Coordinates of all heavy atoms in Angstrom, one line a residue:
M1 N 20.5 -11.8 44.9 CA 19.8 -10.8 44.3 C 19.0 -11.4 43.1 O 19.5 -12.1 42.3 CB 20.8 -9.8 43.7 CG 20.1 -8.8 42.7 SD 21.2 -7.6 42.1 CE 21.7 -8.3 40.5
T2 N 17.7 -11.2 43.2 CA 16.8 -11.7 42.1 C 16.7 -10.6 41.1 O 16.4 -9.4 41.4 CB 15.4 -12.0 42.7 OG1 15.5 -13.0 43.7 CG2 14.5 -12.5 41.6
Q3 N 17.0 -11.0 39.8 CA 17.0 -10.0 38.7 C 15.6 -9.9 38.1 O 14.8 -10.9 38.1 CB 18.0 -10.4 37.7 CG 19.4 -10.3 38.2 CD 20.4 -10.9 37.2 OE1 20.0 -11.5 36.2 NE2 21.7 -10.6 37.4
I4 N 15.3 -8.8 37.5 CA 14.1 -8.7 36.7 C 14.2 -9.6 35.5 O 15.2 -9.6 34.8 CB 13.9 -7.2 36.2 CG1 13.7 -6.3 37.3 CG2 12.8 -7.1 35.2 CD1 13.8 -4.8 37.0
T5 N 13.2 -10.5 35.3 CA 13.2 -11.4 34.1 C 11.8 -11.4 33.6 O 10.8 -11.0 34.2 CB 13.6 -12.8 34.5 OG1 12.7 -13.3 35.5 CG2 15.0 -12.9 35.0
G6 N 11.7 -11.9 32.4 CA 10.4 -12.0 31.7 C 10.5 -13.2 30.8 O 11.4 -13.9 30.7
L7 N 9.4 -13.3 30.0 CA 9.3 -14.4 29.0 C 9.0 -13.7 27.7 O 8.2 -12.8 27.6 CB 8.2 -15.4 29.3 CG 8.4 -16.2 30.6 CD1 7.1 -17.0 30.9 CD2 9.6 -17.1 30.5
T8 N 9.7 -14.3 26.6 CA 9.3 -13.8 25.3 C 8.0 -14.5 24.9 O 7.5 -15.3 25.6 CB 10.4 -14.3 24.3 OG1 10.4 -15.7 24.2 CG2 11.8 -13.8 24.6
R9 N 7.5 -14.1 23.8 CA 6.2 -14.6 23.3 C 6.3 -16.1 23.1 O 5.4 -16.9 23.2 CB 5.7 -14.0 22.0 CG 5.2 -12.6 22.3 CD 4.7 -11.9 21.1 NE 4.7 -12.6 19.8 CZ 4.4 -12.1 18.7 NH1 4.1 -10.8 18.6 NH2 4.4 -12.8 17.6
G10 N 7.5 -16.6 22.8 CA 7.7 -18.0 22.6 C 8.0 -18.8 23.9 O 8.2 -20.0 23.9
G11 N 8.0 -18.1 25.0 CA 8.2 -18.7 26.3 C 9.6 -18.8 26.8 O 9.9 -19.4 27.8
T12 N 10.6 -18.2 26.0 CA 12.0 -18.3 26.4 C 12.2 -17.2 27.5 O 11.8 -16.0 27.3 CB 12.9 -18.0 25.2 OG1 12.6 -18.9 24.2 CG2 14.3 -18.1 25.6
P13 N 12.9 -17.5 28.6 CA 13.2 -16.5 29.6 C 14.1 -15.4 29.0 O 15.0 -15.7 28.2 CB 14.0 -17.3 30.7 CG 13.6 -18.7 30.4 CD 13.3 -18.9 29.0
W14 N 13.9 -14.2 29.5 CA 14.7 -13.1 29.0 C 15.0 -12.1 30.2 O 14.1 -11.8 30.9 CB 13.9 -12.3 27.9 CG 14.6 -11.1 27.4 CD1 15.8 -11.1 26.7 CD2 14.2 -9.7 27.6 NE1 16.1 -9.8 26.4 CE2 15.2 -8.9 27.0 CE3 13.2 -9.2 28.2 CZ2 15.1 -7.5 27.0 CZ3 13.1 -7.8 28.3 CH2 14.1 -7.0 27.6
T15 N 16.2 -11.7 30.3 CA 16.6 -10.8 31.4 C 17.0 -9.5 30.7 O 18.1 -9.5 30.0 CB 17.8 -11.4 32.2 OG1 17.4 -12.6 32.8 CG2 18.2 -10.4 33.3
P16 N 16.3 -8.4 30.9 CA 16.7 -7.1 30.3 C 17.9 -6.6 31.0 O 18.2 -6.8 32.1 CB 15.5 -6.2 30.5 CG 14.8 -6.8 31.7 CD 15.1 -8.3 31.6
A17 N 18.8 -5.9 30.2 CA 19.9 -5.2 30.7 C 19.8 -3.7 30.5 O 19.7 -3.3 29.3 CB 21.2 -5.8 30.1
F18 N 19.7 -3.0 31.5 CA 19.4 -1.5 31.5 C 20.7 -0.7 31.3 O 21.7 -1.1 31.9 CB 18.6 -1.1 32.7 CG 17.4 -1.9 32.9 CD1 17.3 -3.0 33.7 CD2 16.2 -1.5 32.3 CE1 16.2 -3.8 33.8 CE2 15.0 -2.2 32.4 CZ 15.0 -3.4 33.2
I19 N 20.6 0.4 30.7 CA 21.8 1.2 30.5 C 22.3 1.8 31.8 O 21.5 2.3 32.6 CB 21.5 2.3 29.4 CG1 22.9 3.0 29.0 CG2 20.5 3.4 29.9 CD1 22.9 3.6 27.7
T20 N 23.6 1.7 32.0 CA 24.2 2.2 33.2 C 25.2 3.3 32.9 O 25.4 4.2 33.8 CB 24.9 1.1 34.0 OG1 25.9 0.5 33.2 CG2 23.9 0.1 34.5
E21 N 25.7 3.4 31.7 CA 26.7 4.4 31.4 C 26.8 4.5 29.9 O 26.5 3.6 29.1 CB 28.1 3.9 31.9 CG 29.2 4.8 31.6 CD 30.6 4.3 32.0 OE1 30.7 3.1 32.3 OE2 31.5 5.1 32.0
L22 N 27.1 5.8 29.5 CA 27.4 6.1 28.1 C 28.8 6.7 28.1 O 28.9 7.8 28.7 CB 26.4 7.0 27.5 CG 26.4 7.1 26.0 CD1 25.0 7.4 25.4 CD2 27.4 8.2 25.5
K23 N 29.8 6.1 27.4 CA 31.1 6.6 27.4 C 31.2 7.7 26.4 O 31.4 7.5 25.2 CB 32.1 5.5 27.1 CG 32.1 4.4 28.2 CD 33.1 3.3 27.8 CE 32.7 2.1 28.6 NZ 32.4 1.0 27.7
E24 N 31.1 9.0 26.8 CA 31.1 10.1 25.9 C 32.5 10.2 25.2 O 32.5 10.7 24.1 CB 30.8 11.4 26.6 CG 29.4 11.5 27.1 CD 29.1 12.8 27.8 OE1 29.8 13.8 27.6 OE2 28.1 12.8 28.6
E25 N 33.6 9.8 25.8 CA 34.9 9.9 25.2 C 35.0 9.0 24.0 O 35.8 9.3 23.1 CB 36.0 9.6 26.2 CG 36.0 8.2 26.8 CD 35.1 8.0 28.0 OE1 34.4 8.9 28.4 OE2 35.2 6.9 28.6
N26 N 34.2 8.0 23.9 CA 34.2 7.1 22.7 C 33.2 7.5 21.6 O 33.3 7.2 20.5 CB 33.9 5.7 23.1 CG 35.0 5.1 24.0 OD1 36.0 5.7 24.2 ND2 34.7 3.9 24.5
C27 N 32.2 8.3 22.0 CA 31.1 8.6 21.2 C 31.5 9.6 20.0 O 32.3 10.5 20.2 CB 30.0 9.3 22.0 SG 28.5 9.8 21.0
I28 N 31.0 9.3 18.8 CA 31.3 10.1 17.6 C 30.1 11.0 17.3 O 30.1 11.7 16.3 CB 31.7 9.3 16.4 CG1 30.7 8.2 16.1 CG2 33.1 8.6 16.7 CD1 31.0 7.5 14.8
G29 N 29.0 10.9 18.1 CA 27.8 11.7 17.8 C 27.0 11.3 16.6 O 26.4 12.2 16.0
C30 N 27.1 10.1 16.2 CA 26.4 9.6 15.0 C 24.9 9.6 15.1 O 24.1 9.7 14.1 CB 26.9 8.2 14.5 SG 26.4 6.9 15.7
G31 N 24.3 9.5 16.3 CA 22.9 9.5 16.6 C 22.2 8.2 16.4 O 20.9 8.2 16.4
R32 N 22.9 7.1 16.1 CA 22.2 5.9 15.9 C 21.5 5.4 17.1 O 20.3 4.9 17.0 CB 23.2 4.8 15.5 CG 23.8 5.0 14.1 CD 24.9 4.0 13.8 NE 25.5 4.4 12.5 CZ 26.6 3.8 12.0 NH1 27.2 2.9 12.7 NH2 27.1 4.2 10.9
C33 N 22.0 5.5 18.3 CA 21.4 5.1 19.5 C 20.1 6.0 19.8 O 19.1 5.5 20.2 CB 22.3 5.2 20.7 SG 23.0 6.8 21.1
Y34 N 20.2 7.3 19.4 CA 19.1 8.2 19.6 C 17.9 7.8 18.7 O 16.8 7.7 19.1 CB 19.5 9.6 19.3 CG 18.4 10.6 19.3 CD1 18.0 11.2 20.5 CD2 17.7 11.0 18.2 CE1 17.0 12.1 20.6 CE2 16.7 11.9 18.2 CZ 16.4 12.5 19.5 OH 15.4 13.4 19.5
K35 N 18.2 7.4 17.5 CA 17.2 7.0 16.5 C 16.5 5.7 16.8 O 15.3 5.5 16.6 CB 17.8 6.9 15.1 CG 18.2 8.3 14.6 CD 18.9 8.1 13.2 CE 19.5 9.4 12.7 NZ 20.3 9.3 11.5
V36 N 17.3 4.8 17.4 CA 16.7 3.4 17.7 C 16.0 3.4 19.0 O 15.1 2.5 19.3 CB 17.8 2.3 17.6 CG1 18.7 2.4 18.8 CG2 17.2 1.0 17.4
C37 N 16.3 4.3 20.0 CA 15.7 4.3 21.3 C 14.2 4.8 21.2 O 14.0 5.9 20.9 CB 16.5 5.1 22.3 SG 15.8 5.1 23.9
T38 N 13.3 4.0 21.6 CA 11.9 4.4 21.6 C 11.5 5.0 22.9 O 10.3 5.5 23.1 CB 11.0 3.1 21.4 OG1 11.2 2.2 22.5 CG2 11.3 2.4 20.1
R39 N 12.4 5.1 23.9 CA 12.0 5.6 25.2 C 12.6 7.0 25.5 O 12.6 7.5 26.7 CB 12.5 4.6 26.3 CG 11.9 3.3 26.1 CD 10.4 3.2 26.2 NE 10.0 3.7 27.6 CZ 8.8 3.9 28.0 NH1 7.8 3.7 27.1 NH2 8.6 4.3 29.2
N40 N 13.3 7.7 24.6 CA 13.9 9.0 24.7 C 14.9 9.0 25.9 O 14.9 9.9 26.7 CB 12.8 10.0 25.0 CG 13.2 11.4 24.8 OD1 14.1 11.7 23.9 ND2 12.6 12.4 25.5
C41 N 15.8 8.1 25.9 CA 16.9 8.0 26.9 C 18.1 8.8 26.6 O 18.9 9.0 27.5 CB 17.3 6.5 27.1 SG 16.0 5.5 27.8
F42 N 18.2 9.3 25.4 CA 19.4 10.0 24.9 C 19.1 11.4 24.4 O 18.0 11.7 24.0 CB 20.1 9.3 23.8 CG 20.4 7.9 24.2 CD1 19.6 6.8 23.7 CD2 21.5 7.6 24.9 CE1 19.9 5.5 24.1 CE2 21.8 6.3 25.3 CZ 21.1 5.2 24.9
E43 N 20.1 12.3 24.4 CA 20.1 13.6 23.8 C 21.4 13.9 23.2 O 22.4 13.5 23.6 CB 19.8 14.7 24.9 CG 20.9 14.9 25.9 CD 20.6 16.0 26.8 OE1 19.7 16.9 26.6 OE2 21.2 16.1 27.9
L44 N 21.3 14.7 22.1 CA 22.5 15.1 21.4 C 22.9 16.4 22.0 O 22.1 17.4 22.0 CB 22.2 15.2 19.9 CG 23.4 15.5 19.0 CD1 24.4 14.4 19.1 CD2 23.0 15.7 17.5
A45 N 24.2 16.5 22.4 CA 24.7 17.8 23.1 C 26.0 18.1 22.5 O 26.7 17.3 21.9 CB 24.7 17.5 24.6
E46 N 26.4 19.3 22.8 CA 27.8 19.8 22.4 C 28.8 19.1 23.3 O 28.6 18.9 24.5 CB 27.9 21.3 22.5 CG 27.1 22.0 21.5 CD 27.5 23.5 21.5 OE1 28.6 23.9 21.7 OE2 26.6 24.3 21.2
R47 N 29.9 18.6 22.6 CA 31.0 18.0 23.4 C 31.8 19.0 24.1 O 32.1 20.1 23.6 CB 31.9 17.3 22.4 CG 33.1 16.5 23.1 CD 34.0 15.9 22.0 NE 33.3 14.9 21.2 CZ 33.1 13.6 21.5 NH1 33.6 13.2 22.6 NH2 32.4 12.8 20.6
E48 N 32.0 18.7 25.4 CA 32.9 19.6 26.2 C 34.3 19.2 26.0 O 34.7 18.1 26.3 CB 32.5 19.5 27.7 CG 31.1 19.9 28.0 CD 30.7 19.7 29.4 OE1 31.5 19.4 30.2 OE2 29.5 19.9 29.7
V49 N 35.1 20.1 25.4 CA 36.5 19.8 25.1 C 37.4 20.6 26.0 O 37.3 21.8 26.2 CB 36.8 20.3 23.6 CG1 38.2 20.0 23.3 CG2 35.9 19.6 22.6
D50 N 38.3 19.8 26.7 CA 39.2 20.4 27.7 C 40.5 20.8 27.1 O 41.1 21.8 27.5 CB 39.5 19.4 28.8 CG 38.3 19.2 29.7 OD1 37.4 20.1 29.7 OD2 38.2 18.1 30.3
D51 N 41.0 20.1 26.0 CA 42.3 20.5 25.4 C 42.1 20.5 23.9 O 41.2 20.0 23.4 CB 43.4 19.6 25.9 CG 43.1 18.1 25.7 OD1 42.9 17.7 24.5 OD2 43.0 17.3 26.7
D52 N 43.2 20.9 23.3 CA 43.2 21.0 21.8 C 43.9 19.8 21.2 O 44.1 19.8 20.0 CB 43.9 22.3 21.3 CG 43.1 23.5 21.7 OD1 41.9 23.4 21.8 OD2 43.7 24.5 22.0
D53 N 44.2 18.7 21.9 CA 44.9 17.6 21.4 C 44.0 16.5 21.0 O 44.4 15.3 20.9 CB 45.9 17.0 22.5 CG 47.0 18.0 22.8 OD1 47.3 18.9 22.0 OD2 47.5 18.0 23.9
D54 N 42.7 16.7 20.7 CA 41.8 15.7 20.3 C 41.6 15.7 18.8 O 42.1 16.6 18.1 CB 40.5 15.8 21.0 CG 39.8 17.1 20.8 OD1 40.1 17.8 19.8 OD2 38.9 17.5 21.5
D55 N 40.9 14.8 18.3 CA 40.6 14.6 16.8 C 39.3 15.2 16.4 O 38.9 15.0 15.3 CB 40.7 13.2 16.4 CG 42.0 12.5 16.7 OD1 43.0 13.3 16.6 OD2 42.1 11.3 16.9
F56 N 38.7 16.0 17.3 CA 37.3 16.5 16.9 C 37.4 18.0 16.5 O 38.2 18.8 17.1 CB 36.4 16.4 18.1 CG 36.1 15.0 18.5 CD1 36.8 14.4 19.6 CD2 35.3 14.2 17.8 CE1 36.6 13.1 19.9 CE2 35.0 12.9 18.1 CZ 35.7 12.3 19.2
D57 N 36.6 18.4 15.6 CA 36.5 19.7 15.1 C 35.6 20.5 16.1 O 34.5 20.1 16.4 CB 35.8 19.8 13.7 CG 35.7 21.1 13.2 OD1 36.3 22.1 13.7 OD2 35.0 21.3 12.1
D58 N 36.1 21.6 16.6 CA 35.4 22.4 17.6 C 34.1 23.0 17.1 O 33.2 23.2 17.9 CB 36.3 23.6 18.1 CG 37.4 23.0 19.0 OD1 37.3 21.9 19.5 OD2 38.4 23.8 19.1
D59 N 34.0 23.2 15.8 CA 32.8 23.8 15.2 C 31.6 22.9 15.2 O 30.4 23.3 15.4 CB 33.0 24.3 13.8 CG 34.0 25.5 13.8 OD1 34.2 26.1 14.8 OD2 34.7 25.6 12.8
A60 N 31.8 21.6 15.1 CA 30.7 20.6 14.9 C 30.9 19.4 15.8 O 30.5 18.3 15.4 CB 30.5 20.2 13.5
S61 N 31.4 19.6 17.0 CA 31.7 18.5 17.9 C 30.4 18.2 18.8 O 30.1 18.9 19.7 CB 32.9 18.8 18.7 OG 33.2 17.7 19.5
M62 N 29.7 17.1 18.4 CA 28.5 16.7 19.2 C 28.8 15.3 19.8 O 29.6 14.6 19.3 CB 27.3 16.7 18.2 CG 27.0 18.0 17.6 SD 26.7 19.4 18.7 CE 25.0 19.0 19.0
V63 N 28.0 15.1 20.8 CA 28.1 13.8 21.5 C 26.7 13.4 22.1 O 25.9 14.3 22.4 CB 29.2 13.9 22.6 CG1 28.7 14.9 23.7 CG2 29.5 12.6 23.3
M64 N 26.5 12.1 22.2 CA 25.2 11.7 22.8 C 25.4 11.7 24.3 O 26.5 11.3 24.8 CB 24.8 10.3 22.3 CG 24.5 10.2 20.9 SD 23.3 11.4 20.3 CE 21.8 10.9 21.1
R65 N 24.4 12.0 25.1 CA 24.4 12.0 26.5 C 23.1 11.2 27.0 O 22.1 11.2 26.3 CB 24.4 13.4 27.1 CG 25.7 14.1 26.9 CD 26.0 15.1 28.0 NE 27.3 15.6 27.7 CZ 27.5 16.9 27.3 NH1 26.5 17.7 27.2 NH2 28.8 17.3 27.1
L66 N 23.2 10.6 28.2 CA 22.0 10.0 28.8 C 21.1 11.2 29.2 O 21.5 12.0 29.9 CB 22.4 9.2 30.0 CG 23.0 7.8 29.6 CD1 23.4 7.1 30.9 CD2 22.0 7.0 28.9
L67 N 19.9 11.1 28.7 CA 18.8 12.1 29.1 C 18.0 11.5 30.3 O 17.8 12.2 31.3 CB 17.9 12.4 27.9 CG 16.8 13.3 28.2 CD1 17.3 14.7 28.6 CD2 15.9 13.4 26.9
D68 N 17.6 10.3 30.2 CA 16.8 9.7 31.2 C 17.0 8.2 31.2 O 16.3 7.4 30.6 CB 15.3 10.0 30.9 CG 14.4 9.6 32.1 OD1 14.9 9.1 33.1 OD2 13.2 9.7 32.0
A69 N 18.0 7.8 32.0 CA 18.4 6.3 32.1 C 17.3 5.6 32.8 O 17.1 4.4 32.5 CB 19.7 6.2 32.8
M70 N 16.5 6.2 33.6 CA 15.5 5.5 34.4 C 14.3 5.1 33.5 O 13.4 4.3 33.9 CB 15.0 6.4 35.5 CG 16.0 6.6 36.6 SD 16.8 5.1 37.2 CE 15.4 4.4 38.1
D71 N 14.2 5.6 32.2 CA 13.2 5.3 31.3 C 13.6 4.1 30.4 O 12.8 3.6 29.6 CB 12.8 6.5 30.5 CG 11.3 6.4 30.0 OD1 10.5 5.7 30.6 OD2 11.0 7.1 29.0
C72 N 14.8 3.6 30.5 CA 15.3 2.5 29.7 C 14.5 1.2 30.0 O 14.2 0.9 31.2 CB 16.8 2.3 30.1 SG 17.5 0.9 29.2
I73 N 14.2 0.5 29.0 CA 13.4 -0.8 29.1 C 14.3 -2.0 29.0 O 13.8 -3.1 29.1 CB 12.2 -0.9 28.2 CG1 12.7 -0.8 26.7 CG2 11.2 0.2 28.4 CD1 11.7 -1.2 25.7
G74 N 15.6 -1.8 28.8 CA 16.6 -2.9 28.8 C 16.7 -3.7 27.5 O 17.2 -4.8 27.5
C75 N 16.2 -3.1 26.4 CA 16.3 -3.8 25.1 C 17.7 -3.9 24.5 O 17.9 -4.8 23.7 CB 15.3 -3.2 24.2 SG 15.8 -1.6 23.6
Q76 N 18.6 -3.0 24.9 CA 19.9 -3.0 24.4 C 20.1 -2.6 22.9 O 21.1 -2.9 22.3 CB 20.7 -4.2 24.8 CG 20.7 -4.6 26.2 CD 21.3 -5.9 26.5 OE1 22.5 -6.1 26.2 NE2 20.6 -6.8 27.1
A77 N 19.0 -2.1 22.3 CA 19.1 -1.8 20.9 C 20.2 -0.7 20.7 O 20.9 -0.8 19.6 CB 17.7 -1.3 20.4
C78 N 20.4 0.2 21.6 CA 21.4 1.2 21.4 C 22.8 0.6 21.3 O 23.6 1.1 20.5 CB 21.3 2.2 22.6 SG 21.4 1.5 24.2
A79 N 23.1 -0.3 22.1 CA 24.4 -1.0 22.1 C 24.6 -1.8 20.8 O 25.7 -1.8 20.3 CB 24.6 -1.9 23.3
K80 N 23.5 -2.3 20.3 CA 23.6 -3.1 19.1 C 23.9 -2.3 17.8 O 24.6 -2.8 16.9 CB 22.4 -3.9 18.9 CG 22.2 -5.0 19.9 CD 20.8 -5.7 19.8 CE 20.7 -6.7 20.9 NZ 19.3 -7.2 21.0
V81 N 23.5 -1.0 17.8 CA 23.8 -0.2 16.7 C 25.0 0.8 16.8 O 25.4 1.4 15.9 CB 22.5 0.7 16.3 CG1 21.3 -0.2 16.0 CG2 22.2 1.7 17.4
C82 N 25.5 0.8 18.0 CA 26.7 1.7 18.3 C 28.0 1.2 17.6 O 28.4 0.1 18.0 CB 26.9 1.9 19.8 SG 28.2 3.1 20.2
P83 N 28.6 2.0 16.7 CA 29.8 1.5 16.1 C 31.0 1.7 17.0 O 32.1 1.1 16.7 CB 29.9 2.4 14.9 CG 29.3 3.7 15.3 CD 28.1 3.3 16.2
K84 N 30.9 2.4 18.1 CA 32.1 2.6 19.0 C 32.0 2.0 20.4 O 32.8 2.2 21.2 CB 32.3 4.1 19.2 CG 32.7 4.8 17.9 CD 34.0 4.3 17.4 CE 34.5 5.1 16.2 NZ 35.8 4.7 15.8
N85 N 31.0 1.1 20.6 CA 30.8 0.4 21.8 C 30.8 1.3 23.0 O 31.5 1.2 24.0 CB 31.9 -0.7 22.0 CG 31.6 -1.7 23.0 OD1 30.4 -1.9 23.3 ND2 32.6 -2.3 23.6
C86 N 29.9 2.3 23.0 CA 29.9 3.4 24.0 C 28.9 3.0 25.2 O 29.0 3.7 26.2 CB 29.3 4.7 23.4 SG 30.4 5.4 22.2
H87 N 28.1 2.1 25.0 CA 27.0 1.8 26.0 C 27.4 0.7 27.0 O 27.9 -0.4 26.5 CB 25.7 1.5 25.3 CG 25.3 2.6 24.4 ND1 25.8 2.6 23.1 CD2 24.5 3.6 24.5 CE1 25.3 3.7 22.5 NE2 24.5 4.3 23.3
T88 N 27.1 0.8 28.2 CA 27.3 -0.2 29.2 C 25.9 -0.5 29.8 O 25.1 0.4 30.2 CB 28.2 0.2 30.4 OG1 29.4 0.6 29.8 CG2 28.4 -0.9 31.4
H89 N 25.6 -1.8 29.9 CA 24.3 -2.3 30.4 C 24.5 -3.3 31.5 O 25.5 -4.0 31.5 CB 23.4 -2.9 29.3 CG 23.0 -2.0 28.2 ND1 23.8 -1.6 27.2 CD2 21.8 -1.3 28.0 CE1 23.2 -0.7 26.4 NE2 22.0 -0.6 26.9
A90 N 23.5 -3.4 32.4 CA 23.5 -4.4 33.4 C 22.1 -4.8 33.8 O 21.2 -3.9 33.7 CB 24.2 -3.9 34.6
P91 N 21.9 -6.0 34.2 CA 20.5 -6.4 34.7 C 20.2 -5.6 36.0 O 21.1 -5.1 36.7 CB 20.7 -7.9 35.1 CG 21.9 -8.3 34.3 CD 22.8 -7.1 34.2
A92 N 19.0 -5.5 36.3 CA 18.6 -4.8 37.5 C 17.9 -5.7 38.5 O 17.3 -6.7 38.1 CB 17.6 -3.6 37.2
A93 N 18.0 -5.4 39.8 CA 17.4 -6.2 40.8 C 15.9 -6.0 40.8 O 15.4 -4.9 40.6 CB 18.0 -5.9 42.2
L94 N 15.2 -7.1 41.2 CA 13.8 -7.0 41.3 C 13.4 -6.2 42.5 O 14.0 -6.4 43.6 CB 13.2 -8.4 41.4 CG 11.7 -8.6 41.3 CD1 11.2 -8.1 40.0 CD2 11.4 -10.1 41.5
A95 N 12.5 -5.2 42.4 CA 12.1 -4.4 43.5 C 11.4 -5.3 44.5 O 10.6 -6.1 44.2 CB 11.2 -3.3 43.1
S96 N 11.7 -5.0 45.8 CA 11.0 -5.8 46.8 C 9.8 -5.1 47.4 O 9.5 -4.0 47.2 CB 12.0 -6.1 48.0 OG 12.5 -4.9 48.4

């Protein structure tokens, strides 16, 4: 599998890693990934709570969700600012 790769302005090879998953169970809804993403890949939504044994307040329980993962450019800025390690990224195959 040949991966998508590019070169930085300095000529160093760079392989982007695109978002594949956002672990909502770890997310605290801080919005840092939303603020740093220039491609509108995330949305702030109400957390779906199944039981009452969690640590979240039902009145203000928000979580980030993937809005458009296909618009991700692979910069991984969201993962770098996330305090709870909610984002999973992977390189993508080069289209044939």
Side-chain angles (χ1 to χ4, degrees):
M1 170 178 94
T2 303
Q3 298 175 343
I4 296 172
T5 58
L7 296 174
T8 65
R9 289 183 359 188
T12 305
W14 177 69
T15 301
F18 302 93
I19 191 154
T20 57
E21 180 185 13
L22 191 150
K23 297 177 200 121
E24 291 182 23
E25 62 274 8
N26 295 352
C27 181
I28 59 174
C30 67
R32 291 176 185 170
C33 57
Y34 178 82
K35 292 175 186 174
V36 74
C37 182
T38 62
R39 303 298 298 175
N40 199 28
C41 293
F42 304 100
E43 68 177 340
L44 188 61
E46 289 189 34
R47 182 182 300 272
E48 295 176 10
V49 180
D50 291 335
D51 56 59
D52 295 329
D53 295 335
D54 58 19
D55 295 331
F56 296 102
D57 181 13
D58 290 338
D59 294 336
S61 185
M62 302 298 279
V63 65
M64 295 309 293
R65 291 210 173 110
L66 283 176
L67 177 63
D68 189 2
M70 295 306 292
D71 207 21
C72 177
I73 60 171
C75 68
Q76 302 174 62
C78 54
K80 292 174 185 170
V81 299
C82 182
K84 295 295 184 175
N85 197 25
C86 297
H87 305 84
T88 303
H89 293 81
L94 189 61
S96 52

